[in-house]
Amino acid sequence: MTAAGPVPTGAGHIRGVGVAVLLLLVALAWLETPWHRRLQFAWFDACQTLSPRRLVELPATVVQIDEKALAELGQWPWPRSVMARLIDAIDAHQPSAIGIDVIMAEPDRWSPARLADQIGADAETRARLLALPDTDAQLAEALARAPVVLGIGGLPDTTGAPVRAPPVLVRGGDPQKGVRTFAGVLASTEVLDRAAPGHGLLSSDLEGGVVRRMPLIGRIGETWVPGFSMEMLRLASGARGVVVHADGARVKSVAVADVVVPTDADGAVWVHFSPRDGRPRVSAADVLAGRADKTLLASRMVLVGATGLGLLDYQTAASGERMPGIEVHAQVLESVFDGAILLRPHWMRWIEIMLLACAGIVLVAAVPVFSPRRSVLLIGAAVAGAGILSLGLFRDRHLLLDAATPSLALVILFGALLALTLAAATRRERALEREVQRQREEAARVAGELEAARRIQTGILPRPDALAGETRVEVACEMTPAREVGGDLYDFFALDRDRLFFLIGDVSGKGLPASIFMAVSKALYKSNALRRGGAAADAALIGELMTRANAEVARENSEAMFVTLFAGILDLGTGVLAYCNAGHDDPTLVGANGALTRLRGGDGPPLCVVDDFSYAGTTATLAPGDLLCLVTDGVTEAQDRAGRLYGGVRLAAVLAALPGAGLGAAAARERIHADVALFVGGAEPADDLTILTVRWNGG
């Protein structure tokens, strides 16, 4: 089958199923299920890794509370007086804004009043401590003197604390339901919070523990609050407030002075991360000691935050790097100045759906008529094209196009189409094989070869009157081949006046080859039995007969066929049955009292399966009136028109319904055959059917 060839039969059906699968995949992609978002985030993170932001503008310097500062100034948290000195030291270099990524929600534990309580000072010592300047007041004064933004956090529960924020003007709509909203606020103490000239929201969007988006605007209760980075820009520019541009219920952008930052509908932005190396940093210890480079602080936005490994303020960025939370805010500021904020407009979903639909239609049209190789090249081109397009938009336009979801959907669609195409080809090949086989069988029937084979096969089976005059035992048998000739076999004959030999078997396969192999197997086994018939009728004899038959039948078995066989020697005087089973179904013994028993033991593999296998027989003793029922799998595996199997359970039910000692072997065989015929209901036989019943009437 090639691309240039005619449309194969069944292509229309395959395309119809393909369209249905494509519609389902489009619906799932539009719903944005959790697995879809995880796949989407994984792709966006991969884009960040493949194309990180290049450092162009460096508007911010990070003042680190790092291991060096902790070693020189002591463990964290420091006394508020030290924080006041740090802010004054930074402010002395006239930065444009100072951002504090530390929420000081409790009074300073190093304040004189708290120290007096902690050490249990006497009255004189308490008076001296209380005469010292209050550290929280010192920090509040430093905050009031400098352009400081204090970070605040949003809480899910109402706290009742006041929310301080600059004026926020909303234009063009009412997006308050779409932006991220918190019920309460986590802020620094009242004296510090009131003193700071700026307040910004520190909360970030964590999806799976990874920082990808940062809100530039949010709400705490009924109050609009700018993000930490936007508040830094406001203080640096000297603007009085923040402007939110909306389009109905969606936020379009957030502006401070002449800086307009496009956002998602909820007022958040996707951060384009850069590697950590190269960003200006300075230790808080160097700032306090006067060792810091002045150019890193003057006229710049300075971010103060914890970076020490023991302070547990590290976040995983979308680029895969672990970085302190203060550096995430620095990344936002740099992205704003570089114009590198990532955008995912609401209409981007439509683009992704259109890509999926168009590529899917091409696959549905092409895969049923393309060769497998060309189909693989086609799906490879579609997936690669989506990835290249997405990476190009990410790098050059800062747009987030999800290539992973359409690619996965296309791969699923391709797999379904390919499976249907291959299944259709397989069905056509099988239909052709069946037609060839049918034509061969028809030619054989016309020539009369199979009819002759049937007559020969039935002619070598024992005659019904082979035991005429023998009253101690009754034997009834029947073989119905599925075709003109069959692979089932049975035989019975007297070894001497007191011993009856019988067997039943099933050759693998059906038709003429099985019938020939059946005739050979039966003849060889009978020859062995007659040659060895003078020995005692016990387990050793029947095992030896089976072993010899296995060796002789397998000797000229060029077609690697095999035979399941059950053989037995019944002592007509005592009812002792010596038997051996070579992979055949265990026969059922119907007692004179109606009880059913499966004759087990004496088992071995089918003949011609294991060379030189030593079979060992076993014995059982029949009571007068006991009936032994032996069948091939053509009975238990007979099928009705619905394809249901006759089964061993139904056979056991028929045997259990026999009237015990009052029914002969022939009547039992007829009962079984009639019930199978009733069940099949005229359906085409699936396998050869053979029934052999042996009834011992007593010695």
Side-chain angles (χ1 to χ4, degrees), residues 190-533:
E190 174 66 18
V191 63
L192 302 178
D193 194 59
R194 186 174 58 250
H199 302 82
L201 192 61
L202 292 173
S203 302
S204 61
D205 286 344
L206 290 177
E207 291 278 359
V210 178
V211 178
R212 299 181 180 91
R213 304 169 71 244
M214 293 290 291
L216 296 189
I217 195 70
R219 287 169 58 85
I220 299 179
E222 298 297 324
T223 305
W224 289 87
V225 181
F228 189 75
S229 303
M230 292 305 296
E231 183 67 348
M232 291 279 292
L233 290 171
R234 184 187 71 82
L235 282 188
S237 65
R240 291 188 62 254
V242 177
V243 180
V244 176
H245 297 281
D247 180 11
R250 292 193 296 265
V251 176
K252 291 174 56 182
S253 63
V254 180
V256 169
D258 59 347
V259 179
V260 180
V261 185
T263 70
D264 279 355
D266 60 354
V269 294
W270 297 77
V271 185
H272 193 177
F273 288 92
S274 68
R276 293 188 61 196
D277 298 336
R279 182 169 295 104
R281 304 181 185 87
V282 60
S283 174
D286 291 337
V287 174
L288 285 171
R291 300 188 296 262
D293 185 351
K294 297 179 181 180
T295 61
L296 297 179
L297 301 175
S299 301
R300 299 174 65 86
M301 288 181 284
V302 178
L303 297 165
V304 181
T307 64
L309 292 176
L311 301 182
L312 302 178
D313 189 33
Y314 273 68
Q315 306 287 345
T316 300
S319 60
E321 277 192 291
R322 292 278 294 169
M323 62 181 62
I326 192 65
E327 290 199 19
V328 176
H329 297 291
Q331 297 262 10
V332 176
L333 290 171
E334 292 165 3
S335 298
V336 171
F337 272 77
D338 293 345
I341 288 292
L342 299 175
L343 299 175
R344 180 167 170 78
H346 65 278
W347 44 264
M348 192 62 74
R349 290 177 63 194
W350 286 104
I351 301 297
E352 295 160 2
I353 294 298
M354 289 178 61
L355 286 175
L356 171 58
C358 293
I361 290 173
V362 172
L363 288 178
V364 169
V367 170
V369 296
F370 272 26
S371 66
R373 181 179 179 182
R374 292 190 177 185
S375 297
V376 171
L377 291 176
L378 180 62
I379 184 63
V383 172
I388 293 171
L389 175 63
S390 177
L391 282 172
L393 292 175
F394 182 91
R395 184 186 60 192
D396 300 332
R397 300 294 180 182
H398 307 297
L399 291 174
L400 292 172
L401 174 70
D402 177 18
T405 302
S407 296
L408 178 60
L410 290 175
V411 170
I412 294 173
L413 174 62
F414 170 76
L417 291 171
L418 187 61
L420 290 171
T421 303
L422 294 177
T426 301
R427 286 195 298 271
R428 288 193 296 272
E429 291 176 1
R430 290 177 178 174
L432 181 59
E433 292 173 357
R434 288 194 297 268
E435 178 63 18
V436 171
Q437 182 66 20
R438 189 193 66 79
Q439 292 177 1
R440 288 176 178 173
E441 293 176 356
E442 182 68 22
R445 281 195 294 271
V446 172
E449 296 175 356
L450 292 179
E451 176 61 26
R454 185 189 66 81
R455 290 196 300 268
I456 293 172
Q457 183 182 34
T458 55
I460 65 175
L461 295 175
R463 298 173 59 82
D465 59 351
L467 298 177
E470 178 60 66
T471 60
R472 293 174 294 178
V473 67
E474 299 175 22
V475 178
C477 50
E478 175 183 357
M479 184 184 75
T480 305
R483 299 173 183 173
E484 286 76 7
V485 290
D488 284 1
L489 66 146
Y490 69 86
D491 203 354
F492 63 90
F493 52 86
L495 288 177
D496 53 43
R497 67 179 306 277
D498 290 321
R499 289 185 301 168
L500 172 71
F501 177 90
F502 62 90
L503 63 83
I504 187 171
D506 187 1
V507 177
S508 59
K510 293 181 285 293
L512 187 59
S515 69
I516 296 173
F517 199 77
M518 164 265 189
V520 172
S521 302
K522 176 181 175 298
L524 289 175
Y525 209 110
K526 185 171 185 177
S527 174
N528 270 293
L530 291 174
R531 287 201 309 269
R532 300 288 297 169

Side-chain angles (χ1 to χ4, degrees), residues 51-73:
S51 181
R53 179 173 53 85
R54 293 183 294 108
L55 291 174
V56 180
E57 294 285 340
L58 298 172
T61 297
V62 176
V63 174
Q64 305 178 110
I65 302 173
D66 56 3
E67 286 83 358
K68 180 179 180 180
L70 296 175
E72 292 188 16
L73 301 173

